[in-house]
């Protein structure tokens, strides 16, 4: 008899879901977490980031309020207040996640765990436990390139804890995190320079939508340096940083934030000892059933480097638990996954970009609505939204929806249902507009 039916390493989104559901199915479950219960999303990712996005947006809302008749005194932002409130909310959520596990009789080990064999796990305290099945859900961590002075830069792990707001910040990368924090720090009044190794940002998103973000960001005052490669960072006596690059003049700043991707957490995990195969990027290789090269060991979430998104990790954890402990074999459907970038303004997408659709389908129709939201008109804010429907020319099916503008992610979630359900452009056309909204543009494109 093993000590546990299931032992989970890592209490992030995927691990917590798998542990809780397996326990609800009647399994005896243990879970180890070396940091905080909740993982990247709750502790140093999606949730605290979104709260900072909300906090940042007030900068524009307060400015816009004047045209709506509000007498607004001079605005002043206190970083320490927002930071501490966000961290308090993170602590509350960590408690809620812990309660979820304990309420399901999942035993939590607040320590590091490593694989000791196909059915055993060694805990940092020295104890070794046995388990019928082991689930690796250790997530990923920010990639920090090995350049001289990298220790003077921060990652998205540290950004939520800054002592004070930097007057000038250099953000390295052109992906999700770089663009989201460029917007956040800019709204807080920092001087932001985004440095990217190529001239392509947000690779994978529709080009027109990305171009609109770039245009709006530049107009707001975010500075971009493209085709620049980082060489070294020096710390100056006054605490500032000097960054040297090829393809760009030296940049002086108060912080340098690296956001150049995330790497699976497999170091020291004992994959070799247990015989678990690891891929080129350090990802744990799994089959469609989340099973590794060892039949008793499974993996879900960012550590498998499939789709690095929280809701996907949660689905994988749920599918694993239902399959192996609930008698309900379940495969995750990776089709039509909606995604969003919480930039200022945010963008969101589901399905194929126009370019992808043209390559794959040949005959494609693209419908575009380029409009200035009503609220922006009265506020005198010259920022236009862009919505795009990508339609299969052979059968009228909507194969992609792409949007940038206020609340785009909120609106896109509903549109994603239509794409997943393989609805046609004529189905959208048949729906009466809900007026006056921004979302009505989705059913008014002709
Ligand atoms: P991304 O993968 O989004 O972007 C990485 C960026 O860094 C790209 O511009 C890439 O350029 C560049 N880059 C990659 N390697 C290097 C390097 N060695 N030196 C310089 N530049 C480099 O990574 P993020 O760190 O922004 O985010 C990590 C992941 O976290 C995302 O992929 C996403 O899955 C998830 N995430 C999701 C969010 C959301 O859903 N809103 C928010 C935040 C994170 P190139 O394009 O040329 O490769």
């Amino acid at each position: 008899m093993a000590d546990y039916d299931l032992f989970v390493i890592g209490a992030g989104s995927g691990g917590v879901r798998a542990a809780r559901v397996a326990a609800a199915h009647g399994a005896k479950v243990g879970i180890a977490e070396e940091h905080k219960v909740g993982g990247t999303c709750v502790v140093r990712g999606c949730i605290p980031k979104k709260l900072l996005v909300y906090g940042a947006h007030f900068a524009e809302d307060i400015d816009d309020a004047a045209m709506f008749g509000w007498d607004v005194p001079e605005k002043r932002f206190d970083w320490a207040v927002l930071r501490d409130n966000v961290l308090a909310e993170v602590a509350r959520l960590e408690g809620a996640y812990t309660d979820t596990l304990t309420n399901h009789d999942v035993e939590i080990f607040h320590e590091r765990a490593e694989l000791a064999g196909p059915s055993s796990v060694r805990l940092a305290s020295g104890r070794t436990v046995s388990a019928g099945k082991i689930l690796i859900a250790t997530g990923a961590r920010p990639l920090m390139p090995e350049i001289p002075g990298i220790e003077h830069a921060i990652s998205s792990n540290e950004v939520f804890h800054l002592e004070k707001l930097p007057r000038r910040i250099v953000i390295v990368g052109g992906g999700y995190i770089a663009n989201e924090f460029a917007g956040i720090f800019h709204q807080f009044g920092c001087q932001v320079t985004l440095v990217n190794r190529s001239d392509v940002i947000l690779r994978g998103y529709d080009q027109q939508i990305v171009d609109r973000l770039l245009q709006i960001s530049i107009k707001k005052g975010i500075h971009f340096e493209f085709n620049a490669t980082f060489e070294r960072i020096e710390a100056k006596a006054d605490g500032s940083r000097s960054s040297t690059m090829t393809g760009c003049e030296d940049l002086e700043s108060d912080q340098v934030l690296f956001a150049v991707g995330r790497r699976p957490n497999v170091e020291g995990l004992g994959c070799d000892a247990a015989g678990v195969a690891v891929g080129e990027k350090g990802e744990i290789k799994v089959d469609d059933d989340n099973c590794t090269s060892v039949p008793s060991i499974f993996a879900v979430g960012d550590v498998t480097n499939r789709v690095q998104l929280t809701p996907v990790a949660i689905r994988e954890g749920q599918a694993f638990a239902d399959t192996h402990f609930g008698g309900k074999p379940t495969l995750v459907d990776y089709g039509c996954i909606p995604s969003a970038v919480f930039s200022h303004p945010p963008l969101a997408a589901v399905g194929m970009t126009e370019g992808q659709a043209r390559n794959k389908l040949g005959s494609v129709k693209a419908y575009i609505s380029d409009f200035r939201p009503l609220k922006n008109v009265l506020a005198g804010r010259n920022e236009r939204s862009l919505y795009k429907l990508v339609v299969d020319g052979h059968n009228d099916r909507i194969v992609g929806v792409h949007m940038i503008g206020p609340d785009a992610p909120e609106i896109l979630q509903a549109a994603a249902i239509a794409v997943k359900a393989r609805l046609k452009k004529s189905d959208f056309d048949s729906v009466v507009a809900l007026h006056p909204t921004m979302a009505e543009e989705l059913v008014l494109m002709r």
Side-chain angles (χ1 to χ4, degrees):
M1 276 293 283
D3 298 326
Y4 298 94
D5 298 317
L6 170 66
F7 197 92
V8 182
I9 306 179
S13 300
V16 167
R17 174 58 67 96
R20 170 170 78 69
V21 176
H25 286 314
K28 185 174 182 212
V29 183
I31 190 167
E33 171 57 56
E34 65 176 334
H35 188 50
K36 289 181 175 175
V37 172
T40 299
C41 172
V42 172
V43 177
R44 57 192 107 76
C46 325
I47 299 297
K49 181 278 307 288
K50 186 74 186 281
L51 292 171
L52 292 189
V53 169
Y54 281 131
H57 210 276
F58 281 102
E60 290 183 353
D61 293 339
I62 291 168
D63 287 344
D64 292 352
M67 281 303 283
F68 288 85
W70 292 91
D71 180 12
V72 183
E74 197 188 340
K75 63 182 179 189
R76 196 182 66 80
F77 174 64
D78 190 335
W79 161 248
V81 171
L82 179 60
R83 178 199 61 203
D84 293 349
N85 287 342
V86 169
L87 294 178
E89 175 59 10
V90 167
R92 189 190 69 78
L93 286 170
E94 187 197 351
Y97 271 69
T98 305
D99 289 348
T100 301
L101 290 171
T102 47
N103 289 343
H104 285 82
D105 295 326
V106 175
E107 192 175 349
I108 307 174
F109 295 86
H110 294 279
E111 57 186 309
R112 189 174 164 78
E114 297 168 10
L115 300 170
S119 304
S120 58
V121 169
R122 192 169 32 250
L123 296 162
S125 56
R127 187 176 156 197
T128 298
V129 297
S130 60
K133 288 188 171 57
I134 297 169
L135 180 68
I136 303 169
T138 48
R141 63 176 189 290
L143 166 72
M144 298 298 272
E146 287 177 11
I147 56 163
I150 191 70
E151 68 277 12
H152 304 308
I154 59 168
S155 73
S156 53
N157 285 351
E158 292 78 39
V159 75
F160 299 104
H161 299 268
L162 293 180
E163 191 70 25
K164 60 179 185 164
L165 212 52
R167 188 168 63 79
R168 304 156 300 174
I169 185 165
V170 169
I171 301 180
V172 192
Y176 285 82
I177 298 176
N179 281 284
E180 291 181 342
F181 276 95
I184 290 169
F185 280 114
H186 173 74
Q187 299 291 322
F188 290 159
C190 311
Q191 195 181 306
V192 178
T193 305
L194 190 147
V195 177
N196 194 32
R197 66 176 175 182
S198 70
D199 59 1
V200 179
I201 62 166
L202 294 170
R203 201 181 287 279
Y205 279 93
D206 192 273
Q207 196 55 51
Q208 260 181 298
I209 302 290
V210 173
D211 286 348
R212 179 60 53 90
L213 175 66
L214 198 54
Q215 179 200 333
I216 293 175
S217 300
I218 290 170
K219 194 147 182 274
K220 279 186 199 292
I222 296 173
H223 186 68
F224 288 81
E225 290 288 350
F226 290 129
N227 302 310
T229 316
F230 246 77
E231 279 182 4
R232 63 176 184 278
I233 306 166
E234 282 166 48
K236 300 266 193 73
D238 63 359
S240 66
R241 308 285 185 251
S242 178
S243 302
T244 307
M245 282 154 280
T246 47
C248 168
E249 300 278 293
D250 288 3
L251 289 172
E252 307 296 317
S253 66
D254 304 294
Q255 286 288 357
V256 179
L257 167 65
F258 266 77
V260 295
R262 297 172 61 82
R263 287 292 171 268
N265 280 326
V266 288
E267 278 76 15
L269 192 59
C271 291
D272 284 351
V276 171
V278 171
E280 263 175 27
K281 289 185 173 162
E283 78 280 12
I284 293 191
K285 290 181 162 184
V286 286
D287 62 15
D288 290 347
D289 202 19
N290 300 300
C291 189
T292 70
S293 53
V294 178
S296 55
I297 303 180
F298 297 77
V300 295
D302 286 1
V303 76
T304 64
N305 201 27
R306 286 175 284 185
V307 182
Q308 289 189 340
L309 294 175
T310 296
V312 176
I314 290 172
R315 291 223 159 193
E316 290 169 353
Q318 177 87 39
F320 162 78
D322 285 343
T323 301
H324 296 284
F325 297 96
K328 262 194 299 178
T330 310
L331 291 178
V332 173
D333 176 359
Y334 292 92
C336 287
I337 297 173
S339 64
V341 182
F342 294 94
S343 42
H344 280 77
L347 58 90
V350 64
M352 285 187 260
T353 65
E354 187 181 344
Q356 289 164 346
R358 288 200 187 285
N359 285 339
K360 190 163 179 209
L361 307 172
S363 170
V364 167
K365 283 189 208 153
Y367 296 84
I368 289 168
S369 177
D370 186 338
F371 64 99
R372 200 168 163 207
L374 186 59
K375 191 170 166 216
N376 284 357
V377 174
L378 197 71
R381 181 170 293 285
N382 194 17
E383 257 178 55
R384 299 182 69 82
S385 295
L386 188 71
Y387 291 4
K388 187 191 246 189
L389 298 180
V390 181
V391 177
D392 186 336
H394 304 97
N395 54 24
D396 195 39
R397 286 221 169 88
I398 298 189
V399 294
V401 180
H402 307 272
M403 310 169 66
I404 180 167
D407 296 328
E410 303 288 347
I411 299 166
L412 185 110
Q413 177 71 82
I417 300 170
V419 179
K420 183 82 181 159
R422 299 168 62 80
L423 295 190
K424 296 184 170 180
K425 172 71 168 57
S426 53
D427 295 314
F428 273 46
D429 295 345
S430 70
V431 178
V432 174
L434 204 167
H435 186 70
T437 63
M438 293 178 286
E440 69 180 313
E441 296 298 326
L442 286 175
V443 299
L444 293 175
M445 288 186 227
R446 296 291 188 269

